[in-house]
C-alpha cells in the first residue's frame, strides 16, 4: 500500500471501531482503501441515515484521539476462526478467512478494543488520522453479487492534512453542481429513456447543437490536416470481423450478431439448438481460415474453429469499431506510395455491450460516436502522422480551455513475445510516439507493457477546472490489421509494400467528450457552443416589435437567439435566462427602442450597460467566429 492508502485503510478500521461502539450487533465484511478514500461494508438491521454518519464520525474522532496503536498478531487458521467467532463476526469474516490461500500468513490487527482480520498495512497510531470525513452510504452486494445480501457501504475519505481534505470536499461539492447528468436534464441537453434502452443517448435539440458545433470545429481542423471525410453503415458482416479478429474474441463487449430471418427460420426448422447456433456463428470456413492463417503466417484460426461452409451461419454485427469499414475503403482501389498517407475520418457510431452497473450518463454508454479516423501510411511517415494527431489534440483542447492535460505512452513489455510486427519497426514507432508526446510540452509518462499486441499508443488524460482527471481517447499504431486484410501500396521500386495503420479517436466519443465538457464548463458553455447565444427580453409589450426585429437580425447573422415573450415580470425573465445559462441577455425598454440600442447583461460580467445594437452584433459574431472562451465569472 502507498502511504496514502495506508492512511485511508487505517481510517476504515477506525470507522469499524466506531460503528461497533454504536451498533454492537453490526456484522462487518471488508474495508479497503479506494482511489479517493475508503469504505467499509456493514450488515446492520438499522438503516443508516446522514445523521448516523455524523454520530459515527464523532465517535471516530474519539478513537483517533485515544491514540491507539495498531498491533499486528499472526495466528493459525484455527485460532483465526476462534477469534472471529468470539467476536460474533462469523457471518462474513469466516468466508474472508477461507479466501486466504493456504500458504499465506494469517494476521489480525488490533486497535483499542477492536480487532480485524487483515493483511495490513496500517499507520502506527490512530492519532495519525487528523483529517477524515464520512461522505455517503450506498447499498453494496456482498462480494458484488446480486444473489447475495445487500450490505450498507459507508464511504469516507482521509488526507494527510486538513487543507487537503477541505480542498477535496470543495471539489466534491463543485462536482455535484457540475454533474453532467443533472445539468443534462436541467439544460435539456440529452435524455436516456428506458424504453429506448439503457446506455443509449438521445441527443435533444440543445445537446445536438453543442455536438454539431464541436463536430464542425473538429472537421475543420481535420480538413486543414488533409483528412478525407467518409461515411459507413452501422453494421457489417460477421466475416469482416472474423478477418479483423474482433469476433469472436471480444464477444463479451459486443451485441449478439443479427441473423436475417430466412437463415434463422431455416436452421430453426432443422431443429438447431441455441448452443449450436452460437457455434455456427463463431466458426470460420476452411477458405477463410486458410486465408487468415496464410496472411498471419501462423495458425491464427485453430482447426477446432473451422466448419464446412454449409454449416456456417452468416450474420451481421452492430459495428464495435469503424476500422474494418475504413480498411475496405482503402483497399477498394490500388494505392501508390504517392497517394500516402490516406487519412479517412468519420464520426462513426459504434455499439459495445457494457454491464448495466457500469453505465453512467454520457460517459459510459452502449452506443457512441467516435471522433474516429484511420491513417494509412508508410513506415517512414508514422512519426510525422503522430505529430499531426497530437497537434490536433492540442488545438482542440486549448480552444476549450483544457490546457491542463497529460499523455501516457504505452510501450512494449520488453520480456514478452506476444507482439506483432518487426522489432526494428516497433523501435521506430515507439521512438516516434515518445518524440510526438514530447512536442506537446505537457507531462508524459512512458508505460512499458501498456502497448496493444499490435502497436504502441498514446492516451490523453485531461484535468477539468476543478481538478478531476478524465481519460479521453487514444492514438494507436497498428501493424496487425494491414496484415490481416493484406493491405498494400506500390512503392517507388514498383514492388508491393505493407502500409502501417494509425487509429486515432483522440477525444474518445462525442458522448463522453460532451459529458466531460458539460462538467468542465459547469453548463456555462462559451458562446460558440451555447445552444442559445442571446436572449432578448422586452420590458413590456411596447417593445415587442423592436424585439422581434432584433431577433430577425440576430438570426440573419447566424446567432442563435430568442425573444422571451412570457408575460411575467422583468426580473423573472432575467432570472430564467440566467438559469438557462444563456451567455447574453438583451433587455429592451422604451429608451433602448428609441436609441436602437440594447441593455446588455452578460453571464460573465453581469450588467454591461447600454450599447448600440450595431456595436453588439459584430461583437457577438466575432466571439462566435473566434470560438472565444467566455471570460471567467467573478467569484460570487
Ligand atoms: Zn487493515
Ligand atoms: Zn480503428
Amino acid at each position: 500500500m502507498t502511504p496514502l492508502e495506508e492512511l485511508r485503510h487505517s481510517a476504515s478500521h477506525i470507522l469499524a471501531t466506531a460503528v461497533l461502539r454504536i451498533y454492537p450487533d453490526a456484522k462487518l465484511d471488508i474495508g479497503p482503501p479506494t482511489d479517493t478514500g475508503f469504505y467499509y461494508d456493514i450488515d446492520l438491521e438499522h438503516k443508516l441515515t446522514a445523521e448516523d454518519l455524523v454520530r459515527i464520525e464523532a465517535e471516530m474522532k474519539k478513537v483517533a484521539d485515544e491514540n491507539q496503536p495498531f498491533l499486528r498478531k499472526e495466528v493459525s487458521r484455527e485460532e483465526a476462526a476462534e477469534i472471529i467467532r468470539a467476536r460474533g463476526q462469523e457471518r462474513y469474516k469466516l468466508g474472508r478467512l477461507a479466501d486466504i490461500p493456504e500458504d499465506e500468513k494469517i494476521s489480525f490487527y488490533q486497535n483499542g478494543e477492536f480487532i480485524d482480520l487483515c493483511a495490513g498495512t496500517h499507520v502506527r497510531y490512530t492519532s495519525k488520522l487528523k483529517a477524515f470525513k464520512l461522505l455517503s452510504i450506498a447499498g453494496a452486494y456482498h462480494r458484488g453479487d446480486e444473489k447475495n445480501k445487500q450490505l450498507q457501504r459507508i464511504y469516507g475519505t482521509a488526507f494527510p492534512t486538513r487543507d487537503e481534505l477541505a480542498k477535496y470536499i470543495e471539489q466534491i461539492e463543485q462536482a455535484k453542481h457540475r454533474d453532467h447528468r443533472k445539468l443534462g436534464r436541467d439544460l435539456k441537453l440529452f435524455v436516456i429513456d428506458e424504453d429506448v434502452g439503457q446506455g443509449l443517448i438521445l441527443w435533444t435539440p440543445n445537446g445536438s447543437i453543442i455536438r454539431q458545433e464541436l463536430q464542425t470545429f473538429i472537421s475543420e481542423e481535420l480538413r486543414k490536416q488533409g483528412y478525407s471525410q467518409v461515411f459507413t453503415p452501422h453494421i457489417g458482416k460477421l466475416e469482416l470481423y472474423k478477418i479483423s479478429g474482433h469476433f469472436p474474441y471480444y464477444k463479451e463487449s459486443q451485441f449478439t450478431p443479427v441473423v436475417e430471418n430466412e437463415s434463422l427460420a431455416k436452421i430453426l426448422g432443422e431443429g438447431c439448438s441455441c448452443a449450436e447456433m452460437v457455434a455456427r456463428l463463431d466458426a470460420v470456413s476452411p477458405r477463410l481460415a486458410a486465408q487468415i492463417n496464410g496472411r498471419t503466417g501462423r495458425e491464427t484460426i485453430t482447426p477446432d474453429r473451422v466448419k464446412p461452409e454449409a454449416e456456417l451461419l452468416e450474420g451481421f454485427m452492430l459495428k464495435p469499431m469503424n476500422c474494418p469499414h475504413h480498411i475496405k475503403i482503402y483497399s477498394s482501389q490500388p494505392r501508390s506510395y504517392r497517394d500516402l498517407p490516406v487519412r479517412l475520418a468519420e464520426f462513426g457510431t459504434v455499439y459495445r455491450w457494457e454491464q448495466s452497473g457500469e453505465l453512467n450518463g454520457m460517459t459510459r454508454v452502449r452506443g457512441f460516436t467516435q471522433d474516429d479516423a484511420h491513417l494509412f501510411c508508410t513506415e517512414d511517415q508514422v512519426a510525422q502522422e503522430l505529430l499531426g494527431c497530437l497537434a490536433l489534440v492540442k488545438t482542440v483542447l486549448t480552444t476549450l480551455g483544457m490546457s491542463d492535460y497529460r499523455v501516457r505512452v504505452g510501450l512494449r513489455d520488453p520480456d514478452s513475445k506476444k507482439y506483432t510486427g518487426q522489432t526494428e519497426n516497433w523501435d521506430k514507432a515507439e521512438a516516434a510516439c515518445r518524440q510526438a508526446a514530447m512536442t506537446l510540452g505537457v507531462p508524459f509518462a512512458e508505460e512499458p507493457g501498456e502497448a496493444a499486441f499490435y502497436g504502441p499508443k498514446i492516451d490523453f488524460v485531461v484535468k477539468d477546472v476543478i481538478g478531476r482527471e478524465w481519460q479521453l481517447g487514444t492514438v494507436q499504431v497498428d501493424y496487425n490489421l494491414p496484415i490481416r486484410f493484406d493491405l498494400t501500396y506500390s512503392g517507388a521500386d514498383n514492388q508491393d509494400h505493407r502500409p502501417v495503420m494509425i487509429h486515432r479517436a483522440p477525444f474518445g466519443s462525442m458522448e463522453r467528450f460532451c459529458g466531460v465538457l458539460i462538467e468542465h464548463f459547469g453548463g456555462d458553455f462559451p458562446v460558440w457552443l451555447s445552444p442559445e447565444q442571446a436572449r432578448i427580453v422586452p420590458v413590456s409589450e411596447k417593445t415587442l416589435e423592436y424585439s422581434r426585429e432584433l431577433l430577425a437580425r440576430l438570426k440573419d447573422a447566424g446567432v442563435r437567439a430568442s425573444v422571451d415573450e412570457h408575460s411575467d415580470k422583468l426580473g423573472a425573465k432575467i432570472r430564467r435566462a440566467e438559469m438557462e445559462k444563456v451567455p447574453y441577455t438583451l433587455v429592451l425598454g422604451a429608451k433602448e427602442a428609441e436609441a436602437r440600442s440594447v441593455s446588455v447583461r452578460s453571464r460573465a460580467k453581469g450588467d454591461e450597460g447600454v450599447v448600440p445594437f450595431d456595436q453588439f452584433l459584430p461583437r457577438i459574431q466575432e466571439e462566435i467566429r473566434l470560438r472565444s472562451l467566455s471570460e471567467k465569472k467573478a467569484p460570487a
Side-chain angles (χ1 to χ4, degrees), residues 381-393:
Q381 292 167 333
V382 172
Q384 191 59 35
E385 290 310 302
L386 289 174
L387 281 177
C389 293
L390 267 56
L392 171 86
V393 174

Side-chain angles (χ1 to χ4, degrees), residues 1 9-10 12-13 31 109 116-122:
M1 277 192 219
H9 171 63
S10 303
S12 79
H13 279 250
Y109 276 84
D116 203 358
L117 177 70
C118 185
T121 50
H122 306 84

Side-chain angles (χ1 to χ4, degrees), residues 382-391 393-394 405-411 429-447 457-460 475:
V382 172
Q384 191 59 35
E385 290 310 302
L386 289 174
L387 281 177
C389 293
L390 267 56
V393 174
K394 193 170 185 168
Y405 61 99
R406 59 189 175 89
V407 295
R408 294 193 299 232
V409 181
L411 306 171
E430 289 187 343
C433 285
R434 212 178 273 131
Q435 206 51 49
M438 239 158 349
T439 61
L440 286 172
V442 301
F444 78 97
E446 293 183 22
E447 304 192 335
K457 62 171 181 177
I458 303 171
D459 289 330
F460 303 92
V475 175

Side-chain angles (χ1 to χ4, degrees), residues 14 60-70 111-112 124-130:
I14 295 175
M60 286 174 72
K61 292 236 157 57
K62 282 189 208 156
V63 177
D65 289 344
E66 285 163 24
N67 198 18
Q68 305 162 350
F70 278 97
N111 63 288
R124 292 184 56 196
Y125 291 92
T126 56
S127 59
K128 288 271 177 208
L129 268 297
K130 293 188 193 323

Side-chain angles (χ1 to χ4, degrees), residues 260-276:
E260 41 82 25
N261 283 325
E262 220 171 288
S263 315
L264 197 60
K266 182 167 166 280
I267 63 159
L268 290 178
E270 290 164 4
C272 177
S273 72
C274 289
E276 203 185 324

